[in-house]
Amino acid sequence: MKNWILAVDRWVGHFVMAAACAAMGIAALCGAFQIITRFVLEEPSTWSEVLTRTMIIWSVFLGLGASLRGGALLSVDLLYRTVARTRYLPLLHALISSLTMLFLMLVVWFGWVVVYRVRFQNLAGLEIPISWAYAAIPVGAMFGVLGLLANIVDPRRGELETQQ
């Protein structure tokens, strides 16, 4: 089971990070286009600001899985450093992972509720359903669940050691 989770995480993780980077690149291009049309041509476009915002939201939520895989779990640094050299460290990791998993499952559930509720509303300027933008919330949280599972079976917790 461990090898299967890590293999899926490795394959999906590369795809999701590429998608997050592409979304951020599209957001940067649309932002530059918005600046040019607004301040140089003095005719702001109606769609570029909305698309920029949507792409930034997607890139953040897609990047959630990679950050959780890398060990960026919710923790209190002082508590972590206090418990770091004791026998309670595995218990602290289990508690942090469990609470993070619970939070992600709630985000998935309520994210789908929101997506379902706004399915008939359109994004101004793009004329596509706003649910496409809101879908980033549950989709990103599901990738976060996969990243967290991979971190549980193959821990990476280097964020505290690299902080200055």
Side-chain angles (χ1 to χ4, degrees):
M1 184 71 166
K2 175 182 175 179
N3 291 334
W4 183 81
I5 290 173
L6 293 176
V8 169
D9 175 67
R10 194 172 314 115
W11 185 82
V12 171
H14 291 314
F15 171 75
V16 170
M17 280 308 295
C21 290
M24 187 54 76
I26 292 169
L29 290 175
C30 288
F33 180 78
Q34 175 71 10
I35 290 170
I36 290 169
T37 58
R38 181 175 297 238
F39 297 112
V40 176
L41 303 177
E42 296 180 359
E43 285 288 327
S45 69
T46 59
W47 57 268
S48 60
E49 182 180 347
V50 178
L51 186 60
T52 301
R53 189 177 335 123
T54 303
M55 290 295 105
I56 289 172
I57 291 167
W58 270 98
S59 67
V60 166
F61 276 97
L62 289 176
L64 175 67
S67 65
L68 289 174
R69 175 61 181 116
L73 302 174
L74 299 173
S75 64
V76 179
D77 289 348
L78 181 60
L79 179 62
Y80 185 85
R81 290 181 182 168
T82 303
V83 177
R85 295 204 177 10
T86 68
R87 62 184 175 154
Y88 299 111
L89 184 62
L91 180 64
L92 179 63
H93 287 309
L95 178 67
I96 291 170
S97 297
S98 299
L99 291 175
T100 304
M101 184 66 74
L102 176 66
F103 174 74
L104 289 172
M105 297 307 289
L106 287 172
V107 169
V108 169
W109 176 260
F110 287 107
W112 283 121
V113 169
V114 169
V115 169
Y116 182 75
R117 286 185 182 174
V118 300
R119 69 189 181 280
F120 298 119
Q121 298 176 12
N122 284 339
L123 276 169
L126 290 179
E127 298 306 322
I128 62 170
I130 198 168
S131 58
W132 285 100
Y134 283 142
I137 297 168
V139 170
M142 284 191 293
F143 288 127
V145 167
L146 177 63
L148 181 60
L149 285 175
N151 187 277
I152 289 169
V153 298
D154 181 31
R156 295 181 187 171
R157 295 182 180 89
E159 75 272 5
L160 288 177
E161 289 80 14
T162 58
Q163 291 180 354
Q164 301 266 340

